[in-house]
Coordinates of all heavy atoms in Angstrom, one line a residue:
T26 N -5.2 -7.3 24.6 CA -4.5 -6.2 24.0 C -5.0 -5.8 22.6 O -5.6 -6.7 21.9 CB -2.9 -6.5 23.9 OG1 -2.8 -7.7 23.0 CG2 -2.3 -6.7 25.2
Q27 N -4.7 -4.6 22.2 CA -5.1 -4.3 20.8 C -4.4 -5.1 19.8 O -3.2 -5.2 19.9 CB -4.8 -2.8 20.5 CG -5.7 -1.8 21.3 CD -7.1 -1.6 20.7 OE1 -7.3 -2.1 19.6 NE2 -8.0 -1.0 21.3
P28 N -5.1 -5.5 18.8 CA -4.4 -6.4 17.7 C -3.6 -5.5 16.7 O -4.0 -5.5 15.5 CB -5.5 -7.2 17.1 CG -6.6 -6.2 17.3 CD -6.5 -5.5 18.5
T29 N -2.5 -4.9 17.1 CA -1.8 -4.0 16.2 C -1.3 -4.7 14.9 O -1.2 -4.1 13.9 CB -0.7 -3.2 16.9 OG1 0.2 -4.1 17.6 CG2 -1.2 -2.2 17.8
P30 N -0.9 -6.0 15.0 CA -0.5 -6.6 13.7 C -1.7 -6.7 12.7 O -1.5 -6.6 11.5 CB -0.1 -8.0 14.2 CG 0.0 -8.0 15.6 CD -0.7 -6.9 16.1
V31 N -2.9 -6.8 13.2 CA -4.1 -6.9 12.3 C -4.2 -5.5 11.7 O -4.6 -5.4 10.5 CB -5.3 -7.3 13.0 CG1 -6.5 -7.3 12.2 CG2 -5.1 -8.8 13.6
Y32 N -4.1 -4.4 12.6 CA -4.2 -3.1 12.0 C -3.2 -2.9 10.9 O -3.4 -2.2 9.9 CB -4.0 -2.1 13.1 CG -5.0 -2.1 14.2 CD1 -4.8 -1.7 15.5 CD2 -6.3 -2.7 14.0 CE1 -5.7 -1.8 16.6 CE2 -7.2 -2.8 15.1 CZ -6.9 -2.3 16.3 OH -7.8 -2.4 17.3
E33 N -2.0 -3.4 11.1 CA -0.9 -3.2 10.1 C -1.3 -4.0 8.9 O -1.1 -3.6 7.8 CB 0.5 -3.6 10.7 CG 1.5 -3.2 9.7 CD 2.9 -3.3 10.3 OE1 3.0 -3.4 11.5 OE2 3.9 -3.2 9.5
Q34 N -1.8 -5.2 9.0 CA -2.2 -6.0 7.9 C -3.3 -5.3 7.1 O -3.2 -5.3 5.8 CB -2.8 -7.4 8.3 CG -1.7 -8.4 8.7 CD -2.3 -9.6 9.2 OE1 -3.3 -9.6 10.0 NE2 -1.7 -10.8 8.9
L35 N -4.2 -4.6 7.7 CA -5.3 -3.9 7.1 C -4.6 -2.7 6.2 O -5.0 -2.4 5.2 CB -6.3 -3.3 8.0 CG -7.1 -4.5 8.7 CD1 -8.0 -3.9 9.7 CD2 -8.0 -5.2 7.6
W36 N -3.7 -2.0 6.9 CA -3.0 -0.9 6.3 C -2.2 -1.4 5.1 O -2.2 -0.8 3.9 CB -2.1 -0.1 7.2 CG -1.3 0.8 6.5 CD1 0.1 0.9 6.4 CD2 -1.7 2.0 5.8 NE1 0.5 2.0 5.6 CE2 -0.6 2.7 5.3 CE3 -3.0 2.5 5.5 CZ2 -0.7 3.9 4.5 CZ3 -3.1 3.7 4.8 CH2 -2.0 4.4 4.3
L37 N -1.6 -2.6 5.1 CA -0.9 -3.2 4.0 C -1.8 -3.5 2.9 O -1.4 -3.4 1.7 CB -0.1 -4.3 4.5 CG 1.2 -4.0 5.3 CD1 1.7 -5.2 6.1 CD2 2.3 -3.4 4.6
L38 N -3.0 -4.0 3.2 CA -3.9 -4.3 2.1 C -4.4 -2.9 1.4 O -4.5 -2.9 0.2 CB -5.2 -5.0 2.7 CG -5.0 -6.4 3.0 CD1 -6.3 -7.0 3.8 CD2 -4.9 -7.2 1.7
V39 N -4.6 -1.9 2.2 CA -5.0 -0.6 1.6 C -3.8 -0.1 0.7 O -4.0 0.3 -0.4 CB -5.3 0.5 2.7 CG1 -5.3 1.8 2.1 CG2 -6.5 0.0 3.4
M40 N -2.6 -0.3 1.2 CA -1.4 0.1 0.4 C -1.3 -0.7 -0.9 O -1.0 -0.1 -2.0 CB -0.1 -0.2 1.2 CG 0.3 0.8 2.3 SD 1.7 0.3 3.1 CE 2.9 -0.2 1.8
L41 N -1.6 -2.0 -0.9 CA -1.6 -2.8 -2.1 C -2.6 -2.2 -3.1 O -2.3 -2.1 -4.3 CB -2.0 -4.3 -1.8 CG -0.8 -5.2 -1.4 CD1 -1.2 -6.5 -0.9 CD2 0.2 -5.2 -2.5
G42 N -3.8 -1.8 -2.6 CA -4.8 -1.3 -3.5 C -4.3 0.1 -4.1 O -4.5 0.3 -5.3
I43 N -3.7 0.9 -3.3 CA -3.1 2.2 -3.7 C -2.1 2.0 -4.8 O -2.1 2.6 -5.8 CB -2.7 3.1 -2.6 CG1 -3.9 3.5 -1.6 CG2 -1.9 4.3 -3.0 CD1 -3.5 4.1 -0.3
L44 N -1.2 1.1 -4.5 CA -0.1 0.8 -5.4 C -0.6 0.2 -6.7 O -0.1 0.5 -7.7 CB 1.0 -0.1 -4.7 CG 1.8 0.6 -3.6 CD1 2.6 -0.5 -2.9 CD2 2.7 1.6 -4.1
L45 N -1.5 -0.8 -6.6 CA -2.1 -1.3 -7.8 C -2.8 -0.2 -8.7 O -2.7 -0.3 -9.9 CB -3.1 -2.4 -7.5 CG -2.5 -3.8 -7.0 CD1 -3.6 -4.6 -6.5 CD2 -1.8 -4.4 -8.2
Y46 N -3.3 0.8 -8.1 CA -3.9 1.9 -8.9 C -2.8 2.8 -9.4 O -2.9 3.3 -10.6 CB -4.8 2.7 -7.9 CG -5.4 3.9 -8.6 CD1 -6.4 3.8 -9.5 CD2 -4.8 5.2 -8.3 CE1 -6.9 5.0 -10.1 CE2 -5.3 6.3 -8.9 CZ -6.4 6.2 -9.9 OH -6.9 7.3 -10.5
L47 N -1.7 3.1 -8.7 CA -0.8 4.1 -9.1 C 0.3 3.5 -10.0 O 0.7 4.3 -10.9 CB -0.1 4.7 -7.8 CG -0.9 5.5 -6.9 CD1 0.0 5.9 -5.7 CD2 -1.3 6.8 -7.6
I48 N 0.8 2.4 -9.8 CA 2.0 1.8 -10.5 C 1.7 1.9 -12.0 O 2.7 2.4 -12.8 CB 2.3 0.4 -10.0 CG1 3.0 0.5 -8.6 CG2 3.2 -0.2 -11.0 CD1 3.3 -0.8 -8.0
P49 N 0.6 1.5 -12.6 CA 0.5 1.7 -14.0 C 0.6 3.1 -14.5 O 0.8 3.3 -15.8 CB -0.9 1.1 -14.4 CG -1.3 0.2 -13.2 CD -0.6 0.9 -12.1
R50 N 0.4 4.0 -13.7 CA 0.3 5.5 -14.1 C 1.8 6.1 -14.0 O 2.0 7.2 -14.5 CB -0.7 6.2 -13.3 CG -2.1 5.9 -13.6 CD -3.0 6.1 -12.5 NE -4.4 5.9 -12.8 CZ -4.9 4.7 -12.9 NH1 -4.2 3.6 -12.8 NH2 -6.2 4.6 -13.2
F51 N 2.7 5.4 -13.4 CA 4.0 6.0 -13.2 C 4.8 5.9 -14.5 O 4.8 4.9 -15.2 CB 4.8 5.2 -12.1 CG 4.3 5.5 -10.7 CD1 4.4 4.5 -9.7 CD2 3.8 6.8 -10.4 CE1 3.9 4.8 -8.4 CE2 3.4 7.0 -9.1 CZ 3.4 6.0 -8.1
K52 N 5.5 7.0 -14.8 CA 6.3 7.1 -16.0 C 7.8 7.1 -15.7 O 8.6 6.9 -16.5 CB 6.0 8.4 -16.8 CG 4.5 8.4 -17.2 CD 4.1 7.4 -18.2 CE 2.7 7.7 -18.6 NZ 1.9 6.5 -18.8
T53 N 8.2 7.3 -14.4 CA 9.6 7.4 -14.0 C 9.9 6.1 -13.2 O 9.2 5.8 -12.3 CB 9.8 8.7 -13.2 OG1 9.3 9.7 -13.9 CG2 11.2 8.8 -12.8
D54 N 11.1 5.5 -13.5 CA 11.5 4.4 -12.7 C 11.9 4.8 -11.2 O 12.3 5.9 -11.0 CB 12.8 3.8 -13.3 CG 12.6 3.1 -14.6 OD1 11.4 2.8 -14.9 OD2 13.6 2.9 -15.4
G55 N 11.6 4.0 -10.3 CA 11.8 4.2 -8.9 C 10.6 4.8 -8.1 O 10.6 4.7 -6.9
L56 N 9.6 5.2 -8.8 CA 8.5 5.8 -8.1 C 7.6 4.8 -7.5 O 7.0 5.1 -6.4 CB 7.6 6.6 -9.1 CG 8.1 8.0 -9.5 CD1 7.2 8.7 -10.4 CD2 8.4 8.9 -8.3
A57 N 7.5 3.6 -8.0 CA 6.7 2.5 -7.3 C 7.3 2.2 -6.0 O 6.6 2.1 -5.0 CB 6.6 1.3 -8.2
F58 N 8.6 1.9 -5.9 CA 9.3 1.6 -4.7 C 9.2 2.8 -3.7 O 9.0 2.6 -2.5 CB 10.8 1.2 -4.9 CG 11.4 0.7 -3.7 CD1 11.1 -0.5 -3.2 CD2 12.4 1.5 -3.1 CE1 11.8 -1.0 -2.0 CE2 13.0 1.1 -1.9 CZ 12.7 -0.2 -1.4

């Protein structure tokens, strides 16, 4: 079967990278979440 949990893990790693880039730039509370 397709390893969909691995695909989700990869997406979560991409998300971490995006969030690490964006969070320091946010000026409003709640935007990170």
Side-chain angles (χ1 to χ4, degrees):
T26 59
Q27 289 282 350
T29 52
V31 175
Y32 300 155
E33 188 166 348
Q34 284 175 320
L35 293 172
W36 174 244
L37 289 164
L38 281 172
V39 169
M40 280 178 47
L41 276 173
I43 292 169
L44 290 171
L45 284 170
Y46 175 78
L47 289 177
I48 287 174
R50 291 158 176 73
F51 289 146
K52 305 292 185 219
T53 306
D54 292 340
L56 285 180
F58 184 75

